[in-house]
Amino acid sequence: MRVLTTVSLVISVAIALTSCSTGSRVDLGNESAGNLVAAIAGEPDQLDPQKTTAYFSFEVLENVFDTLVAPDANLEMRPALAESWDVSPDQRAWTFHLRHGVSFHDGSPLTADDVVYSYRRIIDQKLANSDKFSAVTSVTAPDQSTVRITLEQPTPNLLTNLGGFKGVAIVSRRNVESGQIATHPVGTGPFAFASQKSGDSITLKANPAYWAGAPKVSGVTFRFISEPSTALSALQAGEIDWTDSIPPQRVAALRDDDSITLEATPSNDYWYLALNETRPPWNDVRVRQAIAYAIDRDAIVQATSYGTAVVNQLAIPKGNPFYTPYNGYRHDIENAKRLLSEAGATPKSLDMLVTTEYPETVTAAQIIADNLAPLGITVNIRTVDFATWLDEQNNGHFDMLMMGWLGNIDPDDFYYAQHHTDGSSNAQKFSNPEVDRLLDAGRVETNRNARADDYAKAATIIADAASYIYLYNPSVIQAWTTRLSGYEARRDGAVRFSTATLAPGGTI
Amino acid sequence: MAVLTHPIIRFIARRLLYSLVVLLGVLIVVFALVHLVPGDPVRIALGTRYTPEAYNALRSASGLDRPIVEQFFGYIGSALTGDLGVSFRNGDPVTVTLLQRLPATVSLGVAGILIALVIALPAGIWSALREGRVSDAIVRITSQFGVSIPDFWLGILLIALFATTLGWLPTSGYRPLFGDPAGWLRHIVLPSLTVGLVAAAIMTRYVRSAVLEVASMGYVRTARSKGLPPRVVTFRHTVRNALIPVLTITGIQLATILGGVIVVEVVFAWPGLGRLVYNAVAARDYPVIQGAVLLIATLFLIINLVVDVLYAVVDPRIRLA
């Protein structure tokens, strides 16, 4: 019985200790006191910006690293580490002039050698982002504040390739060669890496010497809270200041909640269906079109996003300069039946590959199964984890799959890899000579209007031929405390706290 | 020398040797399993930015292009020296990562099992002693309810009540015991209650049936008919003898919690082993999966050993041999 007495004593002490303090944030530890606390939905896999592909990593690294140029809120490329640049008349030599007085977080100055080293590392080690440099023939440093890039062919989207996201960040040679970059990254950005607690949080501290001005908060602590309802509770309790881990079904109610700020910004991401064109009858364009007519996009958007996403029959969303209106399909079963009989196809079953990694694919699959039933097609939903999904996609083991493309900026990001005959992500094996020609032309066309025209034509053919059956553009949904200002939810999903201000007060 | 020949010491030494064999077996099975399961760690690391060149470069950098037998013996060799390799994802030494996660997991396991015992022992004994009465029915119905309740739902309810509404406790997160004991306590209350209540519901039923079984034994009737006070009969004769099955279920429950309570860890953003294993499996991070399973197997073996030794302590009739 003595054990029991001790235990009940411990419990009483626990209650006494805990009931006298409110849901406070004073005990985050000294280094993070006064920091902005942001909850992200998962732990970064690693912190080397050039090697990671995880969004969670980029949420953190967006604040640690810089690129030569960087997208503004409208995704136009603006000077960053490069203050200005000149382009040769033949568009094949670009000269970037680096900003003076920029230092890495370890105090060493940024030089043109660092830029050359960063790009050579991506190219020579064939890192995942090396396709951004496919047209580059050389990167040199004529002097310590100039970087010259020469190209095989004119590349109108070079700036997007060099600054579209932090996967092409300028890294420190010393940091890479010491092997520290994956766990202790050193950048030039507004915040410097301070510490990481495995499975719990990453803490950054403000870089007072930041070239665009010192951040207004002392630092940022990123906590990993993957359960959205917990993250929301933590926000409402004042334990965190910002989160993008939000239950979609709560968005409508949260819009009316004055105690927090909620922003839902239409993003450049898109979700699509793709039918495997190496397998009959899906190689017949009429059969693919039948599927495109049979699905109910509005129902899919409602079920996957509770209405926060926007239906789109092409990839590029409204508001983007490269937006092309397209309304070729509507939910029309009779038309779908007619197309199937024209094709003489009577598919009885369809193997649909979806993954628990992206729950929207599992949800949408159930609606699609229901949509295709009137055509006499039984959809066999195969739900696998992402590792298996990638394997199956790679090996062509599917009739149809649903997936999304995230973080696209230039139209080339939206269409080339996915629909060019030689595209690296053309898992559905679409091939159309006219589309190939237009996508190749778009890569070198320097006249903006002519280029937009190339992509509008290519996109229309892609949708008509149902290489992808486009579904919707999701929104970037983020919520933060009303004490936070100087921050906005960006359409590329980049999370930047460099100009954020945290008003005092609120919780103690 | 007398110490070394003590039966308990000899027993423990033999069990430790046997444990090594078990661990080797665990390693072989896990190593085979991770390589057999579909999914390629290199493919996942590259995600949608896949190119064949990048794939081959990363594959050889991770050593995955070597023959599998060579990979296995290389792994065993370094594992014996305590080096469990480095994570494919971030290059962190697996041993270091596991040691960082261990305190949170052990904290949750110990706190959860204490809460479970505090509830299950009195509730189970009381219920057994009042078998068939209303109070017994209440305990049984409550524990049935506890067994059926999904732990994530219980966790979310506790957060809604104690963190959001009342504001007494933090919603989530973890603080180390050594460094911030008060913070540790405040953060562990809700997750350990979630784990503990679920375990308590299971254990109450075991305690009850164990006590009932012993209470029907001849020696308890004899004790009672000798005229011993009911209190003495209950605690010295009945409960003490019922402790053996209770110890067993306690060990199993503790091992289960230590093996990772993923759902509870997710709900409370608790940096335990469960989420580490879950993420490692999702990324097919072979070294982390192997290391974590090895650690969890070791914890199981230790708990098993401690429970076996405790059997002998609780019941001197049991000989450790």
Side-chain angles (χ1 to χ4, degrees):
Chain A
M1 286 314 280
R2 202 181 307 137
V3 177
L4 280 188
T5 322
T6 317
V7 171
S8 41
L9 183 71
V10 169
I11 303 263
S12 339
V13 172
I15 291 169
L17 256 173
T18 52
S19 54
C20 59
S21 50
T22 58
S24 73
R25 30 189 292 157
V26 283
D27 53 4
L28 273 169
N30 286 336
E31 67 176 2
S32 45
N35 276 9
L36 190 158
V37 184
I40 56 179
E43 180 166 17
D45 59 343
Q46 58 157 307
L47 298 175
D48 181 338
Q50 298 186 342
K51 287 193 170 176
T52 183
T53 55
Y55 179 60
F56 304 135
S57 306
F58 286 118
E59 292 190 270
V60 174
L61 298 175
E62 182 68 38
N63 297 285
V64 176
F65 284 93
D66 283 314
T67 39
L68 270 199
V69 292
D72 65 11
N74 296 317
L75 305 187
E76 294 292 334
M77 292 300 147
R78 301 288 176 206
L81 291 181
E83 215 162 19
S84 62
W85 51 91
D86 317 307
V87 189
S88 69
D90 69 353
Q91 302 266 344
R92 288 174 50 193
W94 292 61
T95 308
F96 292 90
H97 306 288
L98 298 187
R99 194 176 293 277
H100 287 281
V102 175
S103 292
F104 282 104
H105 299 140
D106 64 2
S108 58
L110 170 86
T111 66
D113 283 341
D114 294 304
V115 179
V116 174
Y117 175 77
S118 298
Y119 291 166
R120 294 275 15 143
R121 179 173 184 243
I122 296 173
I123 298 166
D124 296 343
Q125 295 190 25
K126 301 182 177 67
L127 298 184
N129 303 310
S130 53
D131 58 325
K132 303 274 178 205
F133 295 85
S134 56
V136 172
T137 50
S138 78
V139 185
T140 53
D143 62 62
Q144 277 316 310
S145 59
T146 312
V147 175
R148 184 161 296 145
I149 297 179
T150 54
L151 305 165
E152 225 164 78
Q153 56 195 29
T155 304
N157 60 341
L158 182 73
L159 291 181
T160 311
N161 285 344
L162 296 183
F165 81 129
K166 294 293 180 278
V168 287
I170 306 306
V171 298
S172 145
R173 179 179 201 141
R174 192 193 301 171
N175 190 216
V176 173
E177 287 178 347
S178 67
Q180 295 270 301
I181 187 165
T183 49
H184 293 81
V186 170
T188 55
F191 295 92
F193 175 84
S195 65
Q196 172 161 19
K197 291 179 188 154
S198 174
D200 183 72
S201 60
I202 286 181
T203 296
L204 310 179
K205 58 176 188 294
N207 170 12
Y210 186 51
W211 55 265
K216 296 180 183 67
V217 292
S218 60
V220 182
T221 297
F222 287 93
R223 286 184 54 193
F224 320 138
I225 306 184
S226 46
E227 170 55 44
S229 65
T230 304
L232 186 58
S233 295
L235 180 65
Q236 288 169 331
E239 290 167 37
I240 61 168
D241 304 307
W242 178 96
T243 186
D244 65 347
S245 179
I246 298 163
Q249 66 272 24
R250 300 280 297 275
V251 168
L254 291 173
R255 283 185 204 273
D256 300 328
D257 186 341
D258 291 336
S259 65
I260 61 164
T261 308
L262 181 112
E263 261 188 31
T265 304
S267 76
N268 268 5
D269 304 345
Y270 67 88
W271 291 87
Y272 65 89
L273 299 172
L275 285 155
N276 188 343
E277 299 179 27
T278 64
R279 288 186 178 181
W282 319 116
N283 55 343
D284 188 319
V285 62
R286 291 166 295 188
V287 178
R288 297 200 298 273
Q289 287 168 338
I291 304 292
Y293 275 108
I295 57 168
D296 183 349
R297 289 180 176 76
D298 292 320
I300 294 170
V301 162
Q302 201 53 42
T304 53
S305 76
Y306 292 84
T308 59
V310 181
V311 169
N312 191 355
Q313 298 195 11
L314 279 186
I316 298 181
K318 205 171 193 164
N320 185 301
F322 288 95
Y323 170 71
T324 307
Y326 181 92
N327 250 325
Y329 300 102
R330 66 198 169 276
H331 180 45
D332 184 346
I333 289 294
E334 290 315 310
N335 206 17
K337 284 181 177 164
R338 189 180 54 77
L339 283 160
L340 278 186
S341 73
E342 269 179 37
T346 51
K348 289 277 168 275
S349 69
L350 184 151
D351 169 41
M352 182 166 180
L353 185 62
V354 295
T355 170
T356 45
E357 179 84 5
Y358 296 103
E360 45 271 80
T361 64
V362 181
T363 310
Q366 290 157 9
I367 294 174
I368 290 163
D370 194 47
N371 289 160
L372 301 190
L375 300 181
I377 301 176
T378 307
V379 177
N380 301 313
I381 302 172
R382 196 149 50 94
T383 310
V384 296
D385 75 342
F386 195 47
T388 313
W389 189 95
L390 285 166
D391 259 12
E392 294 291 275
Q393 183 219 29
N394 210 25
N395 298 326
H397 292 164
F398 66 93
D399 286 337
M400 183 161 80
L401 50 79
M402 176 176 169
M403 195 32 69
W405 281 94
L406 318 177
N408 324 285
I409 295 185
D410 189 81
D412 187 68
D413 304 336
F414 285 87
Y415 296 116
Y416 196 96
Q418 298 86 337
H419 306 287
H420 194 284
T421 304
D422 303 324
S424 55
S425 302
N426 185 350
Q428 74 279 20
K429 303 296 176 204
F430 176 73
S431 179
N432 179 306
E434 180 63 5
V435 168
D436 289 354
R437 190 190 66 75
L438 288 164
L439 293 179
D440 285 328
R443 280 202 157 177
V444 296
E445 177 57 65
T446 51
N447 178 303
R448 182 141 184 166
N449 288 336
R451 187 163 187 255
D453 202 44
D454 286 341
Y455 284 111
K457 282 183 186 144
T460 306
I461 301 173
I462 288 166
D464 283 344
S467 170
Y468 274 5
I469 298 170
Y470 294 102
L471 299 173
Y472 60 88
N473 300 112
S475 289
V476 171
I477 301 171
Q478 301 174 349
W480 54 87
T481 165
T482 48
R483 293 165 54 225
L484 177 65
S485 57
Y487 177 85
E488 59 177 0
R490 292 168 51 92
R491 59 189 309 158
D492 61 353
V495 176
R496 294 189 186 167
F497 289 121
S498 56
T499 54
T501 311
L502 206 51
T507 52
I508 313 150
Chain B
M1 284 315 284
V3 175
L4 284 179
T5 52
H6 191 281
I8 287 199
I9 301 296
R10 283 213 317 253
F11 170 77
I12 292 176
R14 191 152 0 99
R15 282 290 293 270
L16 285 177
L17 267 178
Y18 153 83
S19 300
L20 280 180
V21 178
V22 172
L23 287 179
L24 186 67
V26 166
L27 260 186
I28 294 173
V29 171
V30 174
F31 194 89
L33 265 183
V34 293
H35 283 86
L36 282 175
V37 170
D40 180 337
V42 180
R43 191 77 182 73
I44 304 160
L46 292 172
T48 50
R49 313 261 169 213
Y50 166 88
T51 61
E53 297 77 37
Y55 179 87
N56 289 329
L58 188 55
R59 188 172 157 83
S60 79
S62 314
L64 283 166
D65 54 347
R66 292 184 298 150
I68 186 150
V69 176
E70 191 187 320
Q71 288 182 47
F72 179 72
F73 284 106
Y75 182 77
I76 297 287
S78 44
L80 285 176
T81 66
D83 172 11
L84 295 173
V86 296
S87 160
F88 285 162
R89 301 207 296 166
N90 56 16
D92 267 350
V94 173
T95 315
V96 173
T97 307
L98 291 177
L99 290 178
Q100 279 177 1
R101 296 290 187 115
L102 196 58
T105 282
V106 171
S107 297
L108 186 58
V110 172
I113 213 72
L114 281 181
I115 289 175
L117 280 174
V118 166
I119 297 169
L121 279 180
I125 294 170
W126 195 56
S127 171
L129 295 180
R130 310 186 142 244
E131 191 199 2
R133 298 202 217 165
V134 177
S135 45
D136 176 33
I138 291 174
V139 168
R140 282 163 60 200
I141 291 169
T142 314
S143 71
Q144 182 61 46
F145 188 68
V147 172
S148 330
I149 197 170
D151 46 5
F152 73 90
W153 189 66
L154 180 61
I156 289 174
L157 280 187
L158 289 175
I159 291 176
L161 178 60
F162 290 104
T164 317
T165 310
L166 296 173
W168 291 355
L169 294 166
T171 57
S172 56
Y174 165 76
R175 299 287 174 273
L177 173 59
F178 306 103
D180 184 7
W184 174 83
L185 195 54
R186 282 165 26 76
H187 283 83
I188 205 170
V189 173
L190 293 185
S192 58
L193 256 184
T194 310
V195 171
L197 288 178
V198 173
I202 299 167
M203 286 163 61
T204 302
R205 297 155 74 85
Y206 274 87
V207 173
R208 179 179 177 277
S209 63
V211 171
L212 276 180
E213 200 182 314
V214 175
S216 67
M217 292 283 177
Y219 60 82
V220 175
R221 200 167 352 120
T222 308
R224 208 174 280 132
S225 57
K226 275 199 304 189
L228 285 177
R231 211 186 133 84
V232 175
V233 177
T234 302
F235 287 103
R236 191 175 302 159
H237 294 80
T238 314
V239 172
R240 181 143 194 198
N241 282 296
L243 276 181
I244 293 291
V246 171
L247 258 178
T248 309
I249 186 68
T250 306
I252 292 173
Q253 287 295 318
L254 178 59
T256 308
I257 302 174
L258 292 180
V261 271
I262 294 171
V263 172
V264 175
E265 289 177 19
V266 166
V267 169
F268 291 99
W270 192 258
L273 284 173
R275 278 206 297 165
L276 181 75
V277 175
Y278 181 84
N279 290 335
V281 170
R284 302 292 191 271
D285 194 342
Y286 297 162
V288 175
I289 302 174
Q290 286 158 190
V293 170
L294 195 64
L295 175 62
I296 292 167
T298 309
L299 292 174
F300 261 80
L301 289 169
I302 292 173
I303 292 167
N304 246 322
L305 181 58
V306 170
V307 167
D308 283 352
V309 172
L310 283 180
Y311 281 162
V313 174
V314 171
D315 188 343
R317 287 168 303 182
I318 293 179
R319 291 254 170 78
L320 298 171

